[in-house]
Amino acid sequence: MVDITHKQSTLRKATASAVLHVSSQNTIDAIRNRAVPKGDVFEFSRAAGLLAVKKTSDVIPDCHPLPVEYTAIRHEIQGLSILISVEVHTIYKTGVEVEAMHGAAITALTMYDMLKPIDKAVEIGTIRLENKQGGKSDKTKPDTDLRSAVVVCSDTVAAGTNQDTSGKIMLHRLEEMGLTSIHYQVIPDDFDRIQATARALEAQKYQLVIFTGGTGLSDRDVTPDALTPLIDRPIDGIMEAARNYGQQRTPYAMLSRGVAGFLNETLLLTFPGSAKAVQEYMDALFPAVFHLFHIRKGGNHA
């Protein structure tokens, strides 16, 4: 199975359809009048489809077991065809496309089994995914190529005694998301230097500035202390989301003192200094953070 531990649980939806064709109006009438010998075709097939949605991971090896929060199965008669629609919702780390398609397939197959004694020409037509929401399909990129900066706060990296890894990871991840105008800088863990760097990047109209390092509890961890007085519009929810994501992976995530918010039109973010933590913060916050710039320009939350 694919590793999904780095993903976040979000609302995910999928709708799939299947088509069942019968050969005569008599079959349609029997379905409508609940006169099929094996029982009510719509109700029996709906029950089978619901079970199929829930049991998808039992029969398709690479599907993850997941909580099915909602399933709706609908039938619509169109001439000598019956359109089956299966809608599935979950709040989880992976989508429900296969669950919806599996539900549609088993609903159709159950109808086939019930109808074959009275209609030897019944057949199942196309089974397909109609739409999905959530996960990658909802990921957004910035409207424009944001002027971005990655600032590594580290005494040892600035002195040349250690190599930077966290900043380089961040650069790579931002580039993967389509950003190209990225400034990279290394500075020591110095209160005044951190403040001066933030002010300089704001003056140069950088829109997104991420500091990595100095968010812990040692005497030299002063990044949040230096940047908090500069932030004129704090956004506490950003770091709440990052810490919550980290807390699900290690209890030590609660020790990070990161802050986030705007300095005029520049968004300042503070990440821990470890490479692993930077990966987790990027997973937790991006690309959702880009939505802030859409809202900042007067866009809506849709």
Side-chain angles (χ1 to χ4, degrees):
M1 296 171 69
V2 175
D3 184 4
I4 59 171
T5 55
H6 64 286
K7 294 185 177 182
Q8 297 190 72
S9 292
T10 58
L11 176 60
R12 299 165 191 259
K13 304 178 182 181
T15 303
S17 66
V19 180
L20 186 100
H21 304 288
V22 302
S23 65
S24 74
Q25 185 61 40
N26 290 336
T27 305
I28 296 295
D29 292 341
I31 295 170
R32 280 189 168 133
N33 297 327
R34 296 180 172 82
V36 175
K38 286 193 173 184
D40 189 323
V41 172
F42 287 162
E43 291 308 315
F44 272 78
S45 65
R46 182 178 289 111
L50 289 171
L51 286 172
V53 169
K54 296 176 182 179
K55 295 292 187 180
T56 300
S57 64
D58 289 351
V59 295
I60 300 180
D62 205 39
C63 281
H64 295 80
L66 51 75
V68 176
E69 311 286 0
Y70 171 81
T71 300
I73 299 178
R74 305 176 181 90
H75 303 83
E76 181 183 352
I77 297 173
Q78 299 178 347
L80 296 182
S81 298
I82 300 172
L83 176 64
I84 301 160
S85 175
V86 179
E87 181 180 354
V88 183
H89 299 182
T90 188
I91 298 177
Y92 197 58
K93 301 175 184 179
T94 188
V96 284
E97 303 96 300
V98 177
E99 284 75 10
M101 294 180 72
H102 187 222
I106 296 302
T107 301
L109 188 58
T110 302
M111 295 179 71
Y112 174 92
D113 177 65
M114 297 181 73
L115 294 173
K116 66 181 180 180
I118 65 170
D119 189 339
K120 300 302 182 185
V122 63
E123 64 179 39
I124 297 172
T126 303
I127 300 170
R128 67 182 183 186
L129 179 69
E130 297 291 344
N131 60 70
K132 65 174 183 175
Q133 300 175 41
K136 289 182 179 179
S137 58
D138 280 357
K139 287 194 173 182
T140 57
K141 291 187 176 183
D143 297 335
T144 58
D145 187 10
L146 298 173
R147 293 197 74 205
S148 307
V150 171
V151 181
V152 178
C153 300
S154 169
D155 289 333
T156 57
V157 175
T161 57
N162 274 343
Q163 294 294 314
D164 168 49
T165 55
S166 58
K168 296 295 177 62
I169 288 171
M170 200 180 302
L171 282 172
H172 177 66
R173 293 291 298 273
L174 292 173
E175 288 168 352
E176 282 186 331
M177 286 181 272
L179 299 185
T180 60
S181 304
I182 307 174
H183 170 75
Y184 172 78
Q185 185 174 353
V186 177
I187 61 175
D189 290 301
D190 178 79
F191 186 99
D192 293 335
R193 184 71 178 275
I194 293 168
Q195 284 199 337
T197 300
R199 287 194 177 102
L201 292 170
E202 185 275 330
Q204 296 170 51
K205 306 301 182 185
Y206 279 89
Q207 298 157 281
L208 172 65
V209 179
I210 309 176
F211 289 81
T212 174
T215 64
L217 293 166
S218 75
D219 290 342
R220 295 292 289 172
D221 288 333
V222 295
T223 304
D225 310 275
L227 294 179
T228 296
L230 303 184
I231 293 174
D232 52 60
R233 177 167 284 190
I235 309 174
D236 296 336
I238 291 178
M239 288 302 145
E240 288 171 6
R243 280 187 282 268
N244 178 64
Y245 183 90
Q247 193 70 25
Q248 295 177 49
R249 289 152 179 82
T250 171
Y252 304 123
M254 64 182 176
L255 302 178
S256 177
R257 299 186 302 117
V259 296
F262 278 98
L263 166 58
N264 294 324
E265 297 301 316
T266 300
L267 178 64
L268 303 178
L269 303 179
T270 55
F271 284 20
S274 79
K276 182 175 181 290
V278 165
Q279 289 276 27
E280 291 180 353
Y281 271 51
M282 294 299 293
D283 288 336
L285 301 180
F286 287 88
V289 161
F290 294 140
H291 189 59
L292 286 175
F293 299 97
H294 175 70
I295 297 300
R296 197 76 167 176
K297 292 192 294 187
N300 58 39
H301 286 283

